[in-house]
Amino acid sequence: MNLLDASATTLLAGFRDGRFSPADYVAELIPHIRAWEPHINALYAYDETTLTTEAAEAARRWRTGAPLGPLDGIPVTIKELIATRGVPIPQGTVVTELTPAHDDAPPSARLREDRALIFAKTTCPDFGMMSSGVSTFHGLTRNPWKLDANPGGSSSGAGAAAAAGLGPLHVGTDIGGSVRLPAAWCGLVGFKPTLGRIPIDPCYTGRCAGPMTRTVEDAALMMQTLSRTDRRDPTRLPPSRIDWMELSLELSGLRLGVMLDAGCGLTADPQLLAAVEAAAAGFERAGATLVPMAPVMTREMLGGLDNFWRARQWKSLAALSASQRARIFPMITQWAARGAELSAVDVVHGFEQTFALRRATEAAFDDVDAILSPTTPVYSFPAEYGHPSNDPEHPFEHLGFTLPWNMGEQPALSINGGFGRDGLPLGIQLIAPRFEDHRVLQLARLFERWRGPIRNWPTPPRS
């Protein structure tokens, strides 16, 4: 079998029965990383020596039937913005002082507890503030499916790494779509859980960590680890007894909302709408009742949050010197500068759109059990762009399908709904009411089973 295309669950089964070991997998993974990285630039703080050493130690444990955790020997990457002990957090920008992190953030700590091999961080754009792979610190991260295309962001390196097969498990963060958008453009499963389901530090309104994997089962596997509680996150949910790996679901009686209009922003590509409609037809054949859905996002909501985020970003930039600000990706400084001109009333009105969206997203589930939509209105965009629109004055026009569920705190997942022109993935999104994270994974697994496995993952370009 091709170990590089194996899921984490398949690898663990092979470790258990002795068909192969963590050392065998890593021996194939390292040259694969070397072949890909010059082209996609997905990794930061990659530690090949430690990966080799720890894989050999894990192999010895499996050989004696004594693994030390449920993920023992499985390589995993962590987004650069999530602290890992001893590694600086540059926030994607050259102006950050590179101070090593003192402790693991909750996701990193949980993965270490379960003996996953954290062998690299993954890239992100300046301050994590763009849906793109551009960064003044990391350089340009590219989409493995098409190297002149953007992987999306801000979990850009995680998306590129997962699509390229640089390990089976990856962790991103999402405050407006930053797990689901790169998952859509890179053909992955990207899961943003209910706020607080995966503890995160620092926490913030709408900020979630989430798995980025090639399969739904691997995302569920990660949830078993990542969802354990951590008191450092004051927004954490109570410990749950969810059996994450139980992914069967009976659709009879389920009412599935179908949302084809984001309400504002960029017009959805017809290919993406067709992928959603095809998925909806599959759910209907399996017993679901389809319900057309109106959008939840409005221009006032998006514009208000844009103002609030400008002011929030300007607060950080104002503490820098003019020479430092000049080194940041220009689109960010140009966008944030207007934050200095906003009145307190403007900023408060902007933040209040968070609660307007909470009301709208809760009301969306009055008559449906789950919602299906495109993940993004955009099929693809150039690698060098800072945003799909590449307009610093309107950088969030592509967030109409993703941002509402961050502000409303509902679980949402992107999955590859097929392929469009140029062979690029078509991301579709499943959303459920707050706290019903398990249902989202179960719905996604049903769709994945009908769609079938992806067998045409990108391969490294020939030198």
Side-chain angles (χ1 to χ4, degrees):
M1 77 179 282
N2 180 2
L3 290 183
L4 292 172
D5 282 340
S7 67
T9 50
T10 299
L11 289 173
L12 287 167
F15 297 167
R16 260 189 304 274
D17 64 23
R19 282 177 291 138
F20 42 81
S21 73
D24 296 329
Y25 175 68
V26 166
E28 295 192 22
L29 179 62
I30 286 174
H32 187 68
I33 292 172
R34 291 175 181 170
W36 261 122
E37 262 302 272
H39 303 283
I40 59 173
N41 186 39
L43 303 182
Y44 160 63
Y46 170 46
D47 187 348
E48 188 175 292
T49 301
T50 299
L51 175 61
T52 303
T53 300
E54 292 186 350
E57 293 170 354
R60 284 192 290 273
R61 292 192 291 271
W62 280 104
R63 199 159 46 242
T64 60
L68 293 179
L71 298 178
D72 200 350
I74 295 291
V76 62
T77 72
I78 307 285
K79 186 176 179 178
E80 183 245 271
L81 296 178
I82 301 173
T84 52
R85 185 177 59 253
V87 180
I89 306 171
Q91 301 181 82
T93 181
V94 292
V95 300
T96 301
E97 184 177 339
L98 297 180
T99 303
H102 187 262
D103 293 306
D104 285 330
S108 311
R110 299 294 85 74
L111 288 162
R112 285 198 210 276
E113 288 167 2
D114 286 355
R115 292 296 174 141
L117 308 184
I118 300 175
F119 71 95
K121 307 294 286 291
T122 48
T123 61
C124 69
D126 290 52
F127 302 106
M129 276 306 301
M130 294 181 291
S131 297
S132 171
V134 298
S135 163
T136 58
F137 180 86
H138 298 294
L140 184 62
T141 298
R142 297 178 179 273
N143 191 326
W145 290 97
K146 191 168 182 280
L147 293 178
D148 61 359
N150 207 298
S154 62
S155 303
S156 48
L166 310 189
L169 304 181
H170 308 269
V171 183
T173 60
D174 189 317
I175 200 170
S178 290
V179 160
R180 289 158 291 155
L181 293 168
W185 288 312
C186 294
L188 308 171
V189 174
F191 182 40
K192 180 210 79 68
T194 300
L195 185 76
R197 180 72 72 193
I198 296 176
I200 189 72
D201 180 33
C203 64
Y204 197 75
T205 304
R207 185 176 190 239
C208 299
M212 299 177 69
T213 61
R214 288 182 170 189
T215 69
V216 175
E217 194 172 37
D218 274 2
L221 179 72
M222 293 188 80
M223 288 303 296
Q224 291 187 138
T225 295
L226 296 173
S227 63
R228 292 202 301 273
T229 195
D230 192 304
R231 296 190 66 83
R232 289 176 289 174
D233 183 352
T235 71
R236 70 193 182 283
L237 297 181
S240 69
R241 296 184 180 274
I242 297 171
D243 180 0
W244 292 103
M245 301 305 289
E246 175 46 66
L247 294 173
S248 60
L249 180 68
E250 173 56 55
L251 280 187
S252 179
L254 183 134
R255 292 175 61 81
L256 180 66
V258 181
M259 185 181 293
L260 299 176
D261 180 5
C264 59
L266 298 173
T267 301
D269 189 294
Q271 297 177 106
L272 294 164
L273 297 179
V276 172
E277 290 171 332
F283 282 109
E284 186 175 39
R285 286 192 296 271
T289 299
L290 302 185
V291 180
M293 293 285 295
V296 293
M297 180 73 86
T298 67
R299 174 55 60 186
E300 182 180 13
M301 292 168 177
L302 185 60
L305 285 167
D306 184 1
N307 280 340
F308 172 69
W309 284 336
R310 286 178 198 253
R312 178 174 178 254
Q313 187 64 50
W314 184 251
K315 173 181 174 290
S316 298
L317 300 189
L320 304 175
S321 66
S323 61
Q324 286 176 310
R325 288 197 294 271
R327 300 176 67 199
I328 295 166
F329 192 73
M331 186 173 285
I332 290 178
T333 49
Q334 183 177 340
W335 164 74
R338 195 159 67 83
E341 304 168 5
L342 295 168
S343 70
V345 171
D346 291 332
V347 176
V348 170
H349 176 75
F351 183 70
E352 285 175 343
Q353 300 314 303
T354 301
F355 299 97
L357 270 168
R358 287 194 70 151
R359 287 189 292 273
T361 53
E362 281 293 296
F365 290 98
D366 283 348
D367 298 313
V368 299
D369 303 300
I371 295 171
L372 176 68
S373 79
T375 307
T376 165
V378 179
Y379 172 64
S380 178
F381 64 107
E384 295 79 11
Y385 278 20
H387 292 289
S389 64
N390 210 38
D391 179 356
E393 288 304 315
H394 301 92
F396 303 133
E397 299 298 292
H398 60 290
L399 297 184
F401 289 115
T402 53
L403 175 60
W405 317 113
N406 292 83
M407 300 301 103
E409 303 184 5
Q410 292 83 8
L413 178 148
S414 182
I415 189 169
N416 185 0
F419 295 90
R421 61 178 178 268
D422 302 329
L424 294 177
L426 300 166
I428 63 174
Q429 181 177 223
L430 289 157
I431 311 106
R434 290 172 73 211
F435 314 124
E436 296 191 20
D437 305 67
H438 199 199
R439 180 184 295 180
V440 174
L441 288 165
Q442 290 171 324
L443 288 167
R445 179 64 185 118
L446 270 179
F447 172 77
E448 183 182 57
R449 194 172 291 135
W450 307 328
R451 185 207 63 196
I454 305 300
R455 301 193 186 281
N456 60 325
W457 290 104
T459 56
R462 294 181 180 179
S463 301

